[in-house]
Amino acid sequence: GENVEQHPSTLSVQEGDSAVIKCTYSDSASNYFPWYKQELGKGPQLIIDIRSNVGEKKDQRIAVTLNKTAKHFSLHITETQPEDSAVYFCAPLPGAGSYQLTFGKGTKLSVIP
Amino acid sequence: KAGVTQTPRYLIKTRGQQVTLSCSPISGHRSVSWYQQTPGQGLQFLFEYFSETQRNKGNFPGRFSGRQFSNSRSEMNVSTLELGDSALYLCASSSGQAGLSGELFFGEGSRLTVL
């Protein structure tokens, strides 16, 4: 099965600074790379995703970069705001026809005003 | 469009009891997945259903079971509850047919406490 490692497990940044979270996976057939955000008391919500034929994708203050050779992808959040405080999960999809996501252990991001 | 609805949101049970959790997916979604979330193990896959058929099952004991109805609503059941079953149980729906291909839409979860 897919082995997924996510770093760091906790991250504190000052408001306005940038945050970067890295996810490493093992299955070279993985072709879909999403990031989910989970706020307190809620279920995870997709914030950005990328497919294997693209190296980078940006959506306003968040971006995802993919390095398929090294088998890792990263979440970048710029100009962080207090509402970015949450737990973030990566969940690479291990190839076509898979029915489950393997989630990383999560990164708790705290944005200090 | 209504989101994924899970009931009940909170429940407390004692060891040895059994529990049934319910999930109503987004209208039109036929795939429903269940995940267990604990502080120690994170999010772990339980099972996935599509059109009333279980397509995949995670590494959980047989005490954990599920089913899906013709209207795509799903239930999961845990029998002979153990203290370690205390967790947030999350349901997610997607439109995926030939396996997952994109976004999972999660409900807010059912928080189970076993005493």
Side-chain angles (χ1 to χ4, degrees), chain A residues 11 13-19 21 37-39 47 61-62 75-88 107-112:
Chain A
L11 180 59
V13 299
Q14 290 290 137
E15 182 177 356
D17 286 351
S18 295
I21 304 169
K37 174 184 181 182
Q38 186 174 26
E39 296 176 336
I47 55 170
R61 295 187 299 106
I62 61 172
L75 175 68
H76 305 255
I77 306 174
T78 58
E79 300 171 27
T80 54
Q81 300 168 4
E83 53 264 38
D84 295 328
S85 295
V87 181
Y88 293 82
T107 297
K108 184 176 181 181
L109 173 64
S110 300
V111 180
I112 305 162

Side-chain angles (χ1 to χ4, degrees), chain A residues 1-110:
Chain A
E2 177 93 274
N3 289 323
V4 179
E5 290 191 6
Q6 186 176 335
H7 296 282
S9 57
T10 60
L11 180 59
S12 289
V13 299
Q14 290 290 137
E15 182 177 356
D17 286 351
S18 295
V20 181
I21 304 169
K22 184 176 178 179
C23 183
T24 304
Y25 60 94
S26 62
D27 190 341
S28 56
S30 295
N31 58 10
Y32 174 65
F33 308 92
W35 284 97
Y36 285 82
K37 174 184 181 182
Q38 186 174 26
E39 296 176 336
L40 204 60
K42 296 188 176 181
Q45 183 178 13
L46 180 75
I47 55 170
I48 196 166
D49 57 11
I50 196 169
R51 303 239 173 228
S52 57
N53 57 344
V54 178
E56 181 175 359
K57 183 177 177 180
K58 203 171 181 180
D59 182 3
Q60 298 182 3
R61 295 187 299 106
I62 61 172
V64 55
T65 58
L66 171 65
N67 185 328
K68 282 217 76 179
T69 304
K71 290 191 276 188
H72 66 73
F73 62 111
S74 298
L75 175 68
H76 305 255
I77 306 174
T78 58
E79 300 171 27
T80 54
Q81 300 168 4
E83 53 264 38
D84 295 328
S85 295
V87 181
Y88 293 82
F89 295 94
C90 63
L93 182 64
S98 298
Y99 302 121
Q100 67 182 82
L101 294 179
T102 300
F103 284 82
K105 292 289 189 189
T107 297
K108 184 176 181 181
L109 173 64
S110 300

Side-chain angles (χ1 to χ4, degrees), chain B residues 24-69:
Chain B
S24 293
I26 290 172
S27 178
H29 285 187
R30 293 159 64 189
S31 169
V32 173
S33 305
W34 288 89
Y35 288 81
Q36 182 197 63
Q37 185 174 28
T38 58
Q41 298 298 318
L43 280 149
Q44 292 190 289
F45 173 76
L46 281 157
F47 22 66
E48 188 264 356
Y49 289 88
F50 182 87
S51 292
E52 302 178 68
T53 300
Q54 186 184 88
R55 296 194 295 190
N56 202 12
K57 188 175 179 358
N59 197 20
F60 279 82
R63 300 185 297 107
F64 291 81
S65 63
R67 59 178 175 167
Q68 187 180 32
F69 302 96

